[in-house]
Every structure is written in structure tokens, then in C-alpha cells.
Amino acid sequence: MSGAEDTPPDDPADDPGDDTPRPARSHGRVSIAAQAARQGNRPRDLMADPDAWTANVITLFPDAFPGVLGLSLTGRALALGLWRLESIDLRAFGVGKHRNVDDTPAGGGAGMVIRADVMAAALDRADPALPIIYLSPRGAPLTQARVRQLSQGPGVTLICGRFEGVDQRILDARGIEEISIGDYVLTGGELAAQVLIDAAVRLIPRVVGNQASLTEESFSEGLLEHPQYTRPSEWEGRRIPDVVMSGNHAAIAAWRREQAERLTKERRPDLWRAYEGRATGATMDPTKDRQLSGASHQAGQHPAHDKDEPR
Ligand SMILES: C[S@@+](CC[C@H](N)C(=O)[O-])C[C@H]1O[C@@H](n2cnc3c(N)ncnc32)[C@H](O)[C@@H]1O
């Protein structure tokens, strides 16, 4: 009854006849922020703020965290306590001698499904103040607007699926939002969770040194970013455009805007239509406005998106 990834070592303390989800002695929670602090050079007075933005991650692979989040800006911010990461080991809530977390799909079919009772027990260990998101290819597409909204809240509890996913009843019972990072299928939700956390954490004040870079990048104004250049001024016969080297800041800003609009129009007609609609502002035809709003699945699910989402 167990998937290939579902074979834990025996624990003599387990009661083989007991099928009730129950946390292991560690209670399944690991504070990665505390580990980062111990391993780094962080002085004691910079210990993590208990109110810092927090990610609780429910996963069968807690060793996958912090992963890439432990590097560079997000890793430094984690060590400084600007955000906190706690993994919750789903295996600790598995049932029976082998702490099974999954079972065969009701009605037949390939693969295994994560049990609702096991996931419920793990969710009970998460911070109840945090919204819960299940990373899922069926979910609403992750957008910068949703990321911004999450970064401004207390944090998030993320469920990383494996196998065929999780029993629908836990999603329904807890009203859990589903978010996808793209139209493709990953082996598990851990990489998707790291994508979402990375995107949110970099918007937390002080994580990225130059805050201006956050307002000038792709999606921040509903446009893709303009082309970027750096030294040398000529490489393989290709010169940086004269206007960029002109020192005329107004001309550079105008050129960047033009390029951002061109790229958006060419590559993302969906974004371009929404940007044009927003640009017309108060004079916008209400019929057209309604059509744009209705076309946004995300905006329908999360009204607060309207603040950032291009319309
Ligand atoms: C093999 S997938 C399950 C796919 C599922 N049977 C389906 O067809 O929708 C296992 C897990 O990977 C994660 N996952 C896969 N693709 C994802 C995506 N595009 N976005 C977010 N999470 C994804 C989810 O947590 C999912 O439960």
C-alpha cells in the first residue's frame, strides 16, 4: 500500500495495530531559521523575530529545505531572521508501523494518494494564523500580484504533494487554495513551494538591498522588463544602444518604456491587453472592463488581486 517514496525505517516505538495519525516524538517540525542561525555567524541579538514572515512547509522531504532558499539574498535574510522557515515532516504523522501517508486511489487507477487524515494531523501542527496553499498543477496560476499579497501578510503554510496528490476531502474541509507554478507536472510540490517562497521573500523589506529594483522589474507595472546591458560597451561586435550610453536620463527612461511595451506586446498579448485597459483608467468602457475582470480566474478567486493585477 505504499509508493516507492513511502518506505520509512521501522520505529520500534510504533504500535503496528494503530491506524491513527499521530506525531512522532519530534512532532515533525524543524525550524530551519534556527539551524541557519546556528550554522552562520548571526549574533544573538539578531535572533529571528517571532513576528517575522513565516513559511510552514508540509513535506515528505524536509531535507529539501531550505534548498536554494538558503543561498544568496533569501539565505542571508533567513539567517538574519527577516523571515522564518519551518518544515513539517508529513511522515511523522503517518499511520501504523511504517507511518504510511498514502493509499491507493478510491475507484481504482494508477499511483497513490496522500490520506486526508494524515494531512489533517500535519496541518494541525502548522501556525493557524497562516493561510494554507496546496501547490498543485490544477491550481490558479501563481502571479506577482498574489505573491505581493502573500508577502504583505504573516506568511503561508504550503502543502507539497507527492504521488497523485492529496485526498480531495482535506482540501474541501479546510477550504484550501490551490496554486500552480505552470502548466507542467512536477514530481512533487517542493520545488513549487521554493518558487513561491522565493518570490514572496524577496518582497519583504530589507531582503533585497535596492528596493528600486523591485518596482522596475517585470510585472511590477503590468509590463515585461526592458532589455538590460552592462560592460563592456561592445561585445562580439554588438554595441549597447547609443541612447542607453547617452547619459540623458529622460531619453533612457523613454527608451526603456518603449522597449518594455514592445516586448510585452510581442511576447505576452494577454498582459498587453490588460495593461492597455488599465492605462485608459477612468475613461475605460465599463463593458470592456467587466470582460477583462471576468477573464481573470485569479482575480475572481482573490478580489484583493485587483490592486496589483493589470486590468
Ligand atoms: C505528480 S504531481 C501530481 C499530479 C496530479 N496527479 C495531477 O495530474 O494534477 C505530485 C505533486 O507535485 C506538485 N506539483 C506538480 N506539478 C505542479 C505544478 N505545476 N505546480 C505546483 N505544484 C505541482 C503537487 O504538489 C502535486 O501534488
Side-chain angles (χ1 to χ4, degrees):
M1 294 292 244
S2 211
E5 294 150 297
D6 188 15
T7 315
D10 284 355
D11 182 343
D14 289 340
D15 173 0
D18 187 353
D19 198 39
T20 308
R22 177 176 51 184
R25 280 182 291 267
S26 66
H27 300 289
R29 284 176 73 133
V30 177
S31 168
I32 292 162
Q35 283 179 356
R38 276 198 296 278
Q39 286 160 10
N41 300 321
R42 185 151 66 100
R44 263 247 27 108
D45 59 358
L46 285 178
M47 286 300 283
D49 170 4
D51 294 327
W53 194 90
T54 299
N56 284 178
V57 183
I58 299 176
T59 171
L60 276 170
F61 297 98
D63 289 349
F65 292 87
V68 74
L69 299 169
L71 305 175
S72 187
L73 296 178
T74 49
R76 191 183 61 98
L78 183 63
L80 287 173
L82 296 180
W83 68 288
R84 302 191 313 140
L85 176 60
E86 282 190 10
S87 67
I88 298 174
D89 184 1
L90 187 64
R91 177 72 59 201
F93 303 90
V95 293
K97 180 174 161 62
H98 294 296
R99 294 203 179 282
N100 289 337
V101 300
D102 57 349
D103 212 323
T104 51
M112 305 293 282
V113 176
I114 296 177
R115 292 172 50 140
D117 54 351
V118 172
M119 186 56 76
L123 277 170
D124 285 346
R125 298 297 304 173
D127 183 342
L130 305 179
I132 304 169
I133 290 174
Y134 169 45
L135 283 319
S136 158
R138 291 187 321 204
L142 182 62
T143 63
Q144 187 68 8
R146 183 68 183 119
V147 161
R148 183 173 302 283
Q149 193 184 38
L150 286 169
S151 76
Q152 291 167 350
V156 66
T157 292
L158 298 174
I159 296 175
C160 301
R162 281 272 154 181
F163 322 124
E164 296 309 316
V166 304
D167 188 307
Q168 183 64 35
R169 290 169 296 177
I170 185 66
L171 304 176
D172 295 341
R174 302 285 190 274
I176 294 172
E177 179 184 355
E178 295 184 49
I179 285 187
S180 165
I181 65 158
D183 289 345
Y184 40 80
V185 179
L186 303 167
T187 316
E190 288 75 15
L191 285 171
Q194 291 187 20
V195 166
L196 187 152
I197 294 171
D198 182 287
V201 163
R202 64 193 294 281
L203 299 181
I204 295 170
R206 291 170 55 213
V207 172
V208 172
N210 182 359
Q211 294 286 306
S213 65
L214 299 179
T215 54
E216 288 165 8
E217 65 194 358
S218 292
F219 309 114
S220 59
E221 288 185 53
L223 293 173
L224 302 180
E225 193 183 58
H226 55 79
Q228 298 276 14
Y229 300 93
T230 187
R231 291 187 184 90
S233 59
E234 185 169 337
W235 173 78
E236 290 195 350
R238 294 167 185 268
R239 289 170 49 77
I240 295 175
D242 289 343
V243 60
V244 177
M245 302 297 280
S246 69
N248 180 337
H249 295 298
I252 294 170
W255 180 86
R256 286 179 168 170
R257 187 81 187 181
E258 205 178 284
Q259 293 295 314
E261 292 185 356
R262 178 186 61 78
L263 285 171
T264 308
K265 207 184 290 190
E266 283 173 12
R267 297 182 182 181
R268 292 291 302 274
D270 56 327
L271 283 182
W272 178 250
R273 276 192 302 276
Y275 172 76
E276 273 192 314
R278 188 173 66 169
T280 57
T283 60
M284 180 182 264
D285 173 355
T287 316
K288 191 178 169 196
D289 190 19
R290 264 204 303 281
Q291 281 171 353
L292 281 168
S293 302
S296 167
H297 177 51
Q298 278 287 90
Q301 279 198 344
H302 304 284
H305 289 181
D306 292 353
K307 183 164 68 69
D308 286 341
E309 201 74 293
R311 300 170 61 107

